[in-house]
């Protein structure tokens, strides 16, 4: 069970910008790892824009922001360009990180059961340990809440 103080599960996955992201390679910096259901959907777009708009403040604290969904890198590239996202989006088509972080859930959409990503965010410290986690995230005010938690842990 993931909880504050546990080591964040490592992964290496393809990302935007032709990169391959290995979480453990980011040690030494705080990481905001947010999982979202799908590119170009209203809630996911609003969440990405909120992190985009606060990006300078996260960057000033040395933090890396990574968005993760099951979409392809090509879909991510289009989403990133459309909304001018200054951070990388990670493609988890095989659900490796999604499974490690236990964000795949059975949900009901339009009355039908579906398997999807439960919107979740993990604030990971420079030592690779989880500092804070949010599950079942509501988008409004969430990016500000993550920024406040980051400031508090670095104080």
């Amino acid at each position: 069970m993931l909880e504050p103080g546990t080591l964040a599960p490592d992964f290496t996955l393809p990302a935007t910008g032709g990169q391959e992201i290995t979480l453990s390679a980011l040690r030494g910096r705080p990481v905001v790892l947010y999982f979202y259901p799908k590119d170009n959907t209203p809630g996911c777009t609003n969440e990405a824009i909120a992190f985009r708009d606060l990006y300078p403040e996260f960057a000033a604290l040395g933090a890396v922001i990574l968005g993760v969904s099951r979409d392809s890198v090509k879909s991510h590239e289009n989403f990133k360009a459309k909304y001018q996202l200054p951070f990388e989006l990670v493609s988890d088509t095989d659900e490796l990180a999604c499974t490690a972080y236990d964000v795949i859930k059975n949900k009901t959409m339009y009355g039908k059961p579906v398997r999807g990503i439960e919107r979740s965010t993990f604030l990971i410290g420079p030592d690779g340990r989880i500092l804070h986690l949010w599950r079942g995230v509501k988008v409004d005010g969430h990016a500000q809440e993550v920024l406040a938690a980051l400031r508090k842990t670095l104080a």
Side-chain angles (χ1 to χ4, degrees):
M1 188 71 182
L2 296 178
E3 57 187 38
T6 60
L7 202 56
D10 198 14
F11 59 80
T12 299
L13 291 169
T16 48
Q19 298 184 61
E20 204 172 63
I21 303 277
T22 299
L23 185 64
S24 60
L26 299 172
R27 292 248 172 96
R29 299 177 70 185
V31 176
V32 174
L33 185 66
Y34 81 93
F35 291 86
Y36 64 98
K38 189 150 185 60
D39 291 342
N40 290 302
T41 55
C44 299
T45 298
N46 289 340
E47 184 176 28
I49 287 170
F51 278 117
R52 176 198 71 193
D53 292 349
L54 291 173
Y55 182 78
E57 295 179 58
F58 281 102
L61 297 170
V64 175
I65 298 175
L66 297 172
V68 183
S69 81
R70 299 180 301 176
D71 294 299
S72 68
V73 171
K74 184 177 185 341
S75 174
H76 280 343
E77 291 289 5
N78 294 335
F79 185 52
K80 182 178 174 178
K82 184 175 182 179
Y83 295 102
Q84 301 170 330
L85 304 179
F87 49 84
E88 304 308 331
L89 300 176
V90 177
S91 175
D92 190 16
T93 56
D94 293 329
E95 301 178 359
L96 299 173
C98 290
T99 300
Y101 285 82
D102 193 29
V103 298
I104 296 288
K105 303 291 178 191
N106 291 318
K107 307 191 278 188
T108 303
M109 192 174 292
Y110 308 112
K112 295 184 179 185
V114 294
R115 225 170 129 268
I117 292 177
E118 176 187 48
R119 192 180 310 279
S120 304
T121 302
F122 298 81
L123 178 57
I124 302 166
D127 63 354
R129 295 192 177 280
I130 295 170
L131 297 172
H132 203 92
L133 59 105
W134 295 263
R135 294 189 183 274
V137 166
K138 302 289 181 246
V139 172
D140 287 347
H142 177 62
Q144 294 87 340
E145 188 180 349
V146 175
L147 181 61
L150 177 61
R151 282 189 176 127
K152 187 176 178 184
T153 60
L154 295 177

